[in-house]
Amino acid sequence: RAAHPPAVLRVLVPVVLIASFVPDAILIITRFIPGTTLLGGLSLSAMHLIVAAVAVPLAQRIAPVAR
């Protein structure tokens, strides 16, 4: 257990969000999936931002972190 969970989450959430862009960037650069477009790769990145923007506040309401 973390001694200060809110502080851990303030660091962990942005780090994980940034890490989630790595596969999208690799997809955009290498186009390892046939038919991949720049718009498709950017859409995946936008999806990660939207999911984080919805999931983090929702998780705070459903399971608040003790301070």
Side-chain angles (χ1 to χ4, degrees):
R1 292 191 142 197
H4 302 286
V8 171
L9 289 175
R10 273 192 294 275
V11 172
L12 189 62
V13 169
V15 167
V16 170
L17 180 61
I18 291 168
S20 76
F21 294 134
V22 171
D24 300 339
I26 293 170
L27 177 63
I28 291 168
I29 293 166
T30 65
R31 300 191 197 292
F32 64 87
I33 297 176
T36 299
T37 62
L38 177 62
L39 182 59
L42 294 175
S43 297
L44 287 172
S45 296
M47 178 201 61
H48 288 119
L49 284 172
I50 292 167
V51 168
V54 171
V56 171
L58 188 61
Q60 288 174 337
R61 288 186 133 193
I62 293 172
V65 175
R67 296 185 187 265

